[in-house]
Amino acid sequence: MTAPAHTPVQAKSITATDLDLYYGSFLAVKGVNITIEPNKVTALIGSSGCGKSTFLRSLNRMHELVPGAYADGEVLLDDVDIYAADADPVQVRRQIGMVFQAPNPFPTMSIYDNVAAGLKLNSRKIKKSDLDAIVERALRGANLWDEVKDRLGKPGMGLSGGQQQRLCIARATAVEPDVLLMDEPASALDPISTLAIEDLITELKKEYTIVIVTHNMQQASRASDNTAFFNIEGTGKPGRLVEVDTTEKIFSNPTHKETEDYVSGRFG
Amino acid sequence: MSTEPTQREDVTDTDPNADVPGLGSLASNAHAHAEDAHTVAAPARVRPPVQVAGKVLPGWAPWGIVAATAVVMAGLVAAIGWNWALWVVGTVVVGGAAQYVVSRAVEGKRRATDRGFTYAIVAAFALALAPLISLLYTVVSRGAARFDGEFFTWSMRGVIGEGGGAVHAIYGTLIITGCATLISVPIGILAAIYLQEYGQGRLKRALTFFVDVMTGIPSIVAGLFAFSLFSIFFGPGIRLGIMGSVALSVLMIPIVVRSTEEMLRIVPNSLREASYALGVSKWRTIVKVVLPTALGGIVTGVVLAVARIIGETAPLLITVGVVSSVNVNPFDGRMQNLAVFAFNSYKSPGVPPEPSIDRAWTAALVLILIVMVLNITARFIYRRFGTEIR
Amino acid sequence: MSSTNVDDLQSVVRGGPARGGAGDRVFRGLATGAGVVILATLAGVALFLIVRAWPAITASAEDLPGGENLLAYIWPLTFGTIIAATIAIVIAVPLSVAVALFISHIAPRRIAQPMSYLIDLLAAIPSVIYGLWGIAVLGPASVGLLRWLEDNLGWLPFFEGPASATGRTMLVVAAVLAVMILPIITAVTRSVFEQTPRRLQEGALALGATRWEMIRLTVLPFGKSAIISASMLGLGRALGETMAVAIVLSVSGAITFDLIGSGNPSTIAANIALDFPESSGLAVNALIASGLVLFAVTLVVNMAARTVINRQMRI
């Protein structure tokens, strides 16, 4: 008897208004205005250094972990400002999870403990049976359960790269966030693992709002509903959001010339 | 590259590489290519044939020359009265000189210089290891005499002349070092966490600098510090085990800070970020992700730090004093310690001196064994548990 | 197992805030506190030594050991300390650089690591054991050499003689100290030698340089300031080394440059170790005053060394 891996859940939207992102005195991203729709996959594309990763990291306040880095502007999760004076970044990150470029399971923990990490590390008291159910659900949700159910006690580092990345996705979803941010989640993986991750992303949007940074144009067109194009005018200049629209429109008939140049491969 | 048709530009006699035929011609080849662009119209000149084989001594030559020298020196030294030291020193010096001369004659000056310095460096390395070998041999051979059950079960209480043991000193060493470890490890690890995870600005820079400086504090000064500190409160006659622990802590803390900081530094940042992204607070991230990942390395560093201080003598001499019976309470009166025991047994042996001197060497042997075991343990821990950091 | 309702799970997962604020502040405070404790300890070392040395500094000359003023008491010890440490450095630096080069550039990769373990082992041996080895093995073994030095180089003030019959001389002490500080100098110089940029080394080799020429042209210039600062670290260690000197050196208190005789100035550290247990009253304060001088000297040497190292690392 398998639980339904993905029961549709109403996720939350993100709205950024006049968002400027700084590293010290350097303005890295300027004036972003965007609404990220709930239960959709939004891809962020653009050339290297255009600020798309910086923008992604600002959405769950990971940006400010770099010494000197800060954000100026407003980011709403539904209608709550995550940069409000009384907002706790730790709380923000509990609701907006993140998956990183390279798989990074905790090396000291088993597969089971990795998935349960978000709950255990916060020293929450949870019944063993509940925890088992949560871990199983998260692993099923990451299409990993059948591959690891017999070795949950083994170290997470023992898995293949693609499995490790899905383990990291399970770890991020086990804490039931509203939004999942993914920073080039497949760039360190082989093509088959990449497709597995893309399929997974399509399934995950039933429950989560997903924002994914990618360098891979095919990936953006395959896996996303909406696409946001970032660009930069030159080195030392800040990155900016050029346009955001449905993926179909961005790839077939973008409003801006520079977007067309980029998606048709004329530069970048 | 030797199959290229050769176009010639003359290698003049001023070419600095000329006397290494193979490499010299390679270098001038490169030179010639650079010139080609400007000399398209110039008439073709002919290069000498490619030559990579030089006059080189065979691989066994260095060993052969030294072996031959050893035989000759053996004869010479035997003629003037046998002396091991003279033979070894003579062989090394004359062997090196002979090698230089032969190489210079066959291979030229540059090669000979290379061989000469290589020989000198290897000889210096051997010279540096000689004391280690001599010291280990001496301690083992002289320490074996009293390496017996009595040594590990008796104290020196009421013992005059033969017999007796160092059990009181072994207890004292373990207790004093244990207390020092209990003081140093929390302070050291927390300070390392401050430096690596929290610190910024002036305090961080000052702490980094002075921790480095602190590693150079003479151990006797640490002892004087502990004595001064306690004597202000308890009077100048005070001698306690815990005073020794405080003195050793001054020496141990910077070592622990340094090694722990190093281990925290190599924990990948991606693990911290993964934890933060799960909504885990910073301190829980440090305690539950960073520290466990670095644990093997941190423990290794602590064990090495213990090994470093367990043989300290001078600070304990002036803070803990000496006593001949067992005392296991670091807060009450003098304690004995292996290193101080070795020193005292050698320095004031009494009459007859031999039994006491034998005990000193056995104490030294025990001390070396403890240090070796700690070092091997540290390496084992690192191999076994330090691999989580990649 | 999966009978648990999804909404129930969600409430389990979401229930209760996990604010880290208070815990973070406490933990950060603890870590910062530990750092402050260390700085305070270093300041405390200086402070308590000054407090306990003060009576000797202010005492009148006739109350002090030796019946002269404090400077006259400490100066011969300082002289001995500097002589012993200087000669140790003179012996140790070339050897250490050679050993470092051996491990970083000469030895085959396979044996370089075990060899560096062996050198580290030199640092692990307790100083009291070096002392015992010095008096029991190296001293007696050196008697022939000392006599030869007296006979052949006796016109130098260093080898004036009369040569000691036991080998408990400044030269032997310095040799023991040299062995003790060799691993420190080796470790620092080796790590910098190994950082010599490959492009420089390969550039030299590609021009047809022999290995020694490559070392002379790239590695040694690159490691120059590391050699200097490592030598200063070694100097600091040699200045403060206690037990080896206390055990080996035969002391008369004379100020002499003669390195092979049996009447030598003691060093500050050895003098404290030998006299402290039997001293009382103002003599203890005088010993602590001498310790204060040693602390100040080693502090200056170490701070200078660290400054040079830090400057090197920044480049």
Side-chain angles (χ1 to χ4, degrees):
Chain A
M1 56 172 194
T2 43
H6 298 285
T7 39
V9 176
Q10 175 63 44
K12 294 195 169 77
S13 68
I14 291 183
T15 310
T17 313
D18 294 333
L19 185 66
D20 295 336
L21 300 171
Y22 293 86
Y23 291 103
S25 58
F26 173 65
L27 178 59
V29 178
K30 186 173 178 341
V32 176
N33 287 291
I34 189 173
T35 298
I36 292 165
E37 295 176 65
N39 296 92
K40 292 269 173 68
V41 178
T42 303
L44 310 182
I45 60 169
S47 51
S48 302
C50 68
K52 55 192 189 305
S53 281
T54 302
F55 172 67
L56 185 81
R57 289 167 62 89
S58 74
L59 296 182
N60 70 342
R61 300 192 61 172
M62 296 286 285
H63 169 64
E64 66 206 49
L65 291 174
V66 178
Y70 66 100
D72 184 22
E74 192 183 62
V75 177
L76 300 181
L77 181 61
D78 271 3
D79 50 7
V80 179
D81 185 359
I82 64 169
Y83 279 99
D86 64 343
D88 177 3
V90 173
Q91 274 299 85
V92 168
R93 293 179 202 131
R94 300 222 62 196
Q95 288 161 63
I96 306 179
M98 191 162 191
V99 176
F100 297 85
Q101 198 165 350
N104 53 359
F106 297 123
T108 52
M109 296 183 193
S110 65
I111 293 171
Y112 183 100
D113 287 343
N114 259 290
V115 178
L119 304 168
K120 280 189 156 180
L121 291 181
N122 280 308
S123 289
R124 299 277 309 285
K125 295 279 173 285
I126 296 173
K127 271 196 305 196
K128 179 81 170 86
S129 61
D130 282 352
L131 198 59
D132 287 345
I134 292 165
V135 169
E136 177 175 349
R137 205 178 98 81
L139 283 171
R140 281 189 192 284
N143 295 343
L144 192 60
W145 174 253
D146 292 329
E147 293 160 62
V148 301
K149 63 183 174 198
D150 301 324
R151 44 170 173 159
L152 291 174
K154 296 274 165 53
M157 298 296 279
L159 299 173
S160 76
Q163 289 173 323
Q164 285 188 19
Q165 192 62 303
R166 278 180 281 148
L167 177 63
C168 291
I169 293 175
R171 180 176 66 185
T173 56
V175 294
E176 297 280 346
D178 293 304
V179 179
L180 263 186
L181 308 178
M182 298 187 169
D183 191 355
E184 302 187 46
S187 68
L189 305 179
D190 61 84
I192 292 175
S193 306
T194 302
L195 282 179
I197 298 279
E198 286 175 16
D199 289 346
L200 178 57
I201 290 171
T202 316
E203 288 176 40
L204 286 169
K205 72 179 176 185
K206 289 181 199 148
E207 292 177 76
Y208 308 100
T209 302
I210 294 174
V211 187
I212 174 171
V213 165
T214 179
H215 266 119
N216 181 329
M217 226 69 74
Q218 280 84 35
Q219 188 170 71
S221 64
R222 275 196 304 261
S224 72
D225 304 303
N226 296 322
T227 295
F229 173 61
F230 282 75
N231 204 359
I232 187 169
E233 267 145 32
T235 43
K237 297 265 178 56
R240 64 199 161 79
L241 173 64
V242 177
E243 66 175 302
V244 54
D245 216 318
T246 62
T247 300
E248 200 188 338
K249 178 144 192 300
I250 292 281
F251 280 90
S252 59
N253 181 25
T255 313
H256 291 267
K257 174 84 168 61
E258 49 186 319
T259 312
E260 192 179 346
D261 286 347
Y262 184 76
V263 297
S264 60
R266 244 167 277 165
F267 79 5
Chain B
M1 80 177 73
S2 56
T3 56
E4 264 182 57
T6 50
Q7 291 230 322
R8 181 56 207 149
E9 184 196 62
D10 263 318
V11 179
T12 64
D13 288 337
T14 54
D15 184 333
N17 297 314
D19 74 323
V20 181
L23 292 170
S25 56
L26 285 181
S28 51
N29 257 346
H31 183 218
H33 279 298
E35 297 268 299
D36 278 349
H38 309 287
T39 55
V40 184
R45 284 176 289 175
V46 180
R47 290 182 183 160
V50 172
Q51 182 193 4
V52 291
K55 289 183 199 126
V56 179
L57 287 174
W60 52 264
W63 308 101
I65 290 170
V66 171
T69 315
V71 173
V72 174
M73 287 306 291
L76 283 176
V77 173
I80 60 167
W82 186 253
N83 181 330
W84 278 103
L86 195 59
W87 177 64
V88 171
V89 172
T91 302
V92 169
V93 172
V94 178
Q99 218 179 84
Y100 180 82
V101 171
V102 172
S103 170
R104 172 133 200 191
V106 178
E107 302 176 314
K109 185 178 167 202
R110 293 173 62 228
R111 284 256 179 176
T113 310
D114 185 44
R115 281 193 192 278
F117 274 101
T118 304
Y119 184 91
I121 286 170
V122 175
F125 179 76
L127 179 62
L129 281 191
L132 181 68
I133 293 158
S134 163
L135 185 147
L136 291 178
Y137 171 79
T138 309
V139 171
V140 170
S141 60
R142 300 210 184 173
R146 280 302 320 278
F147 200 77
D148 52 25
E150 197 180 348
F151 190 83
F152 294 97
T153 47
W154 282 59
S155 72
M156 288 302 293
R157 183 169 193 162
V159 175
I160 294 165
E162 293 201 19
V167 72
H168 58 313
I170 294 171
Y171 284 157
T173 299
L174 296 180
I175 291 166
I176 293 168
T177 313
C179 289
T181 309
L182 286 181
I183 299 171
S184 308
V185 168
I187 295 181
I189 291 182
L190 279 169
I193 289 173
Y194 169 77
L195 286 174
Q196 193 56 35
E197 308 287 334
Y198 287 107
Q200 48 195 334
R202 295 242 305 263
L203 181 59
K204 176 182 178 174
R205 258 178 289 137
L207 190 57
T208 307
F209 183 76
F210 282 109
V211 164
D212 280 337
V213 169
M214 225 171 144
T215 56
I217 289 188
S219 62
I220 190 98
V221 170
L224 287 178
F225 160 68
F227 172 81
S228 304
L229 177 66
F230 278 78
S231 67
I232 283 174
F233 299 108
F234 301 102
I238 187 81
R239 296 286 188 282
L240 295 174
I242 194 71
M243 289 167 68
S245 301
V246 169
L248 294 184
S249 297
V250 173
L251 305 172
M252 187 172 175
I253 286 172
I255 308 176
V256 175
V257 175
R258 270 281 145 275
S259 63
T260 306
E261 207 193 341
E262 209 55 51
M263 290 303 138
L264 294 180
R265 187 174 296 141
I266 59 178
V267 173
N269 227 2
S270 67
L271 296 182
R272 295 182 180 88
E273 295 204 324
S275 178
Y276 294 146
L278 290 171
V280 179
S281 59
K282 183 163 185 172
W283 80 276
R284 285 190 192 278
T285 299
I286 293 170
V287 171
K288 299 201 168 173
V289 175
V290 179
L291 285 181
T293 307
L295 191 65
I298 293 173
V299 173
T300 302
V302 168
V303 173
L304 287 175
V306 170
R308 189 75 65 81
I309 61 155
I310 205 165
E312 275 299 342
T313 317
L316 302 181
L317 203 56
I318 60 179
T319 55
V320 183
V322 288
V323 69
S324 55
S325 50
V326 173
N327 171 17
V328 293
N329 184 350
F331 298 97
D332 181 25
R334 293 162 182 253
M335 289 176 97
Q336 188 57 285
N337 160 288
L338 265 178
V340 175
F341 177 83
F343 172 68
N344 263 325
S345 303
Y346 200 95
K347 205 72 181 172
S348 359
V351 188
E354 287 79 14
S356 185
I357 290 173
D358 285 347
R359 285 193 292 267
W361 283 108
T362 306
L365 176 57
V366 174
L367 213 45
I368 282 198
L369 287 176
I370 292 175
V371 171
M372 296 280 179
V373 166
L374 286 172
N375 272 284
I376 292 167
T377 309
R379 298 220 184 284
F380 172 77
I381 293 172
Y382 196 73
R383 286 246 176 86
R384 176 74 181 69
F385 301 104
T387 47
E388 264 121 20
I389 303 170
R390 328 199 137 192
Chain C
M1 188 180 198
S2 47
S3 59
T4 322
N5 174 307
V6 172
D7 291 334
D8 287 353
L9 280 185
Q10 196 147 355
S11 67
V12 167
V13 168
R14 279 295 180 73
R19 283 193 81 97
D24 260 335
R25 273 194 299 278
V26 170
F27 193 70
R28 189 196 175 106
L30 278 175
T32 314
V36 172
V37 164
I38 291 175
L39 289 179
T41 304
L42 195 63
V45 172
L47 182 71
F48 284 112
L49 289 188
I50 291 172
V51 168
R52 298 300 292 177
W54 194 251
I57 297 170
T58 53
S60 60
E62 58 267 27
D63 296 335
L64 286 166
E68 284 179 81
N69 68 35
L70 194 61
L71 272 183
Y73 171 72
I74 294 178
W75 165 241
L77 300 171
T78 312
F79 178 83
T81 308
I82 292 171
I83 287 281
T86 309
I87 298 164
I89 283 293
V90 169
I91 299 172
V93 169
L95 264 185
S96 306
V97 171
V99 171
L101 282 177
F102 178 79
I103 294 172
S104 69
H105 283 84
I106 306 277
R109 277 275 152 258
R110 257 177 313 113
I111 68 163
Q113 197 56 42
M115 289 302 133
S116 77
Y117 284 156
L118 279 181
I119 295 296
D120 289 344
L121 210 54
L122 279 174
I125 290 170
S127 61
V128 66
I129 298 177
Y130 275 111
L132 296 182
W133 175 73
I135 194 170
V137 179
L138 189 63
S142 70
V143 170
L145 174 69
L146 298 180
R147 217 169 279 144
W148 184 87
L149 286 171
E150 183 193 9
D151 292 344
N152 295 280
L153 296 170
W155 46 272
L156 284 168
F158 306 117
F159 305 122
E160 211 166 37
S164 162
T166 57
R168 300 177 57 187
T169 68
M170 196 57 102
L171 190 64
V172 172
V173 164
V176 175
L177 290 181
V179 176
M180 298 177 72
I181 61 178
L182 180 136
I184 299 161
I185 307 177
T186 301
V188 175
T189 47
R190 192 193 109 200
S191 70
V192 174
F193 288 166
E194 282 171 354
Q195 285 167 22
T196 311
R198 286 206 72 79
R199 61 192 162 80
L200 292 183
Q201 302 184 38
E202 285 169 357
L205 290 176
L207 283 174
T210 61
R211 182 166 56 188
W212 167 250
E213 285 163 344
M214 181 270 286
I215 289 172
R216 186 167 54 82
L217 293 172
T218 64
V219 179
L220 289 182
F222 185 80
K224 195 169 76 181
S225 67
I227 296 173
I228 293 169
S229 51
S231 308
M232 284 156 78
L233 285 186
L235 178 67
R237 194 60 64 92
L239 289 169
E241 180 42 52
T242 312
M243 297 318 294
V245 184
I247 294 173
V248 175
L249 196 62
S250 151
V251 169
S252 74
I255 294 186
T256 168
F257 283 102
D258 182 17
L259 307 179
I260 60 170
S262 49
N264 300 287
S266 188
T267 69
I268 294 177
N271 181 58
I272 296 171
L274 291 172
D275 283 5
F276 200 93
E278 279 105 49
S279 294
S280 61
L282 212 51
V284 171
N285 301 113
L287 286 172
I288 293 178
S290 71
L292 186 62
V293 171
L294 176 64
F295 176 62
V297 171
T298 50
L299 199 65
V300 168
V301 169
N302 277 302
M303 284 170 69
R306 289 297 168 186
T307 309
V308 176
I309 291 178
N310 290 349
R311 199 171 298 152
Q312 158 98 1
M313 292 303 170
R314 225 171 287 141
I315 292 167

